[in-house]
Amino acid sequence: MKILAIESSCDETCAAVVEDGRKIHSNVVASQIETHALYGGVVPEIASRAHSEAISWVTKKALDDAGIALSDIDAIAVTNEPGLIGALLVGVNFAKSLAYGADKPLIPVHHIRGHIAANYAYFNGEEEKDFLEPPFVALVVSGGHTSLVDVRSYTDFEVIGATRDDAAGESFDKIARMIGLPYPGGAKMDGAAKNGNPKAFAFPDTRVKNCPYDFSFSGLKTSAVNIIHNAQQKGENIDCADMSASFTSAVVGAIIQRVELLFSDTERKTPEKLVLAGGVAANSHLRAALEKLCKKHNIKFFVPPLSLCGDNAVMIGCQAYYEYTQNKDKDFRDLSLNAYATGEISK
Ligand code: KG4
Ligand code: ZN
């Protein structure tokens, strides 16, 4: 089954063709980063307009790269939640028109379910990697989400813990910006951290009382902001590499603490597999720390290739296949489909 997938929930216009939830035939990503960098963050109105401009050629390119005509596609998939509402609406309306015009099923996909499903994908011509199947625990770390999710089946999800305030990616971007790294600062902070001292600055404990699997990054963020402001008031410079290394170490440490707790929780069945997903899955320090932790606990660790960590439509095409094949009673011809800024992964 070949699915044409569309993703436009934030600042990347994406289309892809994916076969049977796994095999990538094409993957097109039109990034708006340069536009938003001028403002230090994503400007929603500009994002919607940029999606409108790009979506037709991005989709055409995805079909051309795959060497497939629209008439030979079996279904159209689209991210319809969560994300920036104006941005989502561009993709949803475009996908609805395509599905209507080409008389194809229309499969709505939750963005975070998609991020997790990026771990199923493999490139056409590449050896199929370790065949990942649920059940597993997914650690989702992105610009807008940080959560531990019990993935019981391809379409049955339960949140074990989630952030109470900021997401890890959001806090990386904020502190990166304050130490002079351009938007989006997460990846640049990852690089800068390699040359700094992770113990140069100390950060507070992030545990959430009575909710051991919930995350909280606002305290870390405020603490870093205070350190930077105090230095500025004294006319001192904060060393970018040292702050990057220390802040990264605090964020990664907070995440690892929850995962390690989960691995040793005697009231829960220890997962056999841990799956990392989301834009921050590209972080080299987080990947290395999780790899080491999983090795120690004899748990299999999965992480997407770097090109599939950030937003892309391959992940939407992968998850769409399972949404379609495992929900036999659902109406996939519903052209009244809407977009939603928020939306639970477990429903
Ligand atoms: O998943 P994603 O593309 O968008 C959302 O669904 O939110 O994640 C984007 C986030 C941004 O905050 C970006 O700074 C962060 O992922 N990110 C990184 C790295 N690469 C991207 N954060 C830390 N280290 C990286 N290497
Ligand atoms: Zn995302």
Side-chain angles (χ1 to χ4, degrees):
M1 178 180 187
K2 292 196 182 92
I3 295 179
L4 169 64
I6 289 163
E7 149 68 43
S8 70
S9 66
C10 190
D11 58 351
E12 261 123 10
T13 317
C14 320
V17 176
V18 183
E19 186 176 346
D20 293 342
R22 305 261 165 180
K23 187 172 173 180
I24 304 169
H25 287 271
S26 62
N27 176 25
V28 183
V29 179
S31 173
Q32 305 171 6
I33 281 179
E34 280 181 23
T35 312
H36 298 295
L38 299 171
Y39 305 93
V42 180
V43 183
E45 162 95 16
I46 294 175
S48 307
R49 288 173 185 276
H51 285 308
S52 278
E53 283 171 16
I55 200 150
S56 303
W57 73 257
V58 165
T59 305
K60 182 176 183 310
K61 185 164 174 14
L63 287 168
D64 290 349
D65 287 0
I68 294 168
L70 181 58
S71 51
D72 294 328
I73 288 289
D74 297 296
I76 313 286
V78 65
T79 308
N80 76 318
E81 62 179 350
L84 299 172
I85 192 65
L88 285 166
L89 280 167
V90 174
V92 166
N93 283 315
F94 187 79
K96 279 163 70 165
S97 307
L98 271 187
Y100 174 68
D103 192 23
K104 306 286 178 191
L106 175 67
I107 312 168
V109 177
H110 187 284
H111 183 75
I112 300 302
R113 288 188 180 203
H115 269 303
I116 294 170
N119 284 280
Y120 305 139
Y122 69 95
F123 289 92
N124 196 356
E126 187 189 67
E127 279 282 298
E128 191 168 357
K129 56 179 184 185
D130 245 352
F131 196 85
L132 173 66
E133 276 180 298
F136 54 78
V137 166
L139 170 64
V140 182
V141 198
S142 76
H145 292 79
T146 307
S147 30
L148 270 168
V149 183
D150 197 5
V151 183
R152 294 168 175 159
S153 78
Y154 288 105
T155 53
D156 183 8
F157 299 76
E158 191 191 82
V159 176
I160 300 167
T163 183
R164 292 296 187 96
D165 38 60
D166 305 318
E170 194 182 338
S171 66
F172 274 135
D173 293 342
K174 163 92 185 185
I175 302 310
R177 188 177 165 184
M178 289 196 68
I179 54 175
L181 298 170
Y183 168 84
K188 284 155 198 118
M189 197 178 230
D190 184 350
K194 290 180 180 143
N195 305 313
N197 172 9
K199 295 204 167 88
F201 303 102
F203 290 98
D205 187 3
T206 66
R207 281 175 292 181
V208 180
K209 206 173 170 196
N210 298 329
C211 297
Y213 295 116
D214 278 356
F215 298 87
S216 168
F217 295 103
S218 70
L220 290 187
K221 209 173 84 176
T222 308
S223 175
V225 169
N226 287 341
I227 293 168
I228 296 164
H229 280 164
N230 282 342
Q232 282 167 346
Q233 277 159 6
K234 288 188 216 149
E236 294 167 5
N237 273 334
I238 286 283
D239 185 273
C240 174
D242 281 350
M243 177 51 84
S244 296
S246 301
F247 191 71
T248 300
S249 163
V251 171
V252 170
I255 295 171
I256 292 292
Q257 188 267 324
R258 271 68 166 184
V259 179
E260 183 141 42
L261 188 66
L262 185 77
F263 287 174
S264 47
D265 189 337
T266 50
E267 284 172 24
R268 285 180 171 271
K269 191 173 172 288
T270 309
E272 285 173 19
K273 304 161 222 169
L274 181 80
V275 169
L276 181 60
V280 184
N283 186 275
S284 60
H285 310 272
L286 180 62
R287 287 166 90 103
L290 285 169
E291 209 164 291
K292 191 168 155 204
L293 185 68
C294 286
K295 208 172 236 166
K296 181 175 149 197
H297 289 263
N298 206 16
I299 288 165
K300 262 186 140 171
F301 178 56
F302 292 81
V303 60
L306 287 181
S307 64
L308 298 179
C309 287
D311 290 346
N312 64 84
V314 164
M315 65 189 205
I316 303 304
C318 291
Q319 182 61 22
Y321 172 77
Y322 294 102
E323 299 288 346
Y324 188 74
T325 52
Q326 309 222 338
N327 286 302
K328 296 279 182 221
D329 298 332
K330 201 168 159 183
D331 176 14
F332 289 104
R333 296 271 170 181
D334 179 12
L335 291 176
S336 67
L337 180 70
N338 213 334
Y340 303 95
T342 57
E344 296 302 315
I345 191 172
S346 56
K347 53 169 171 44

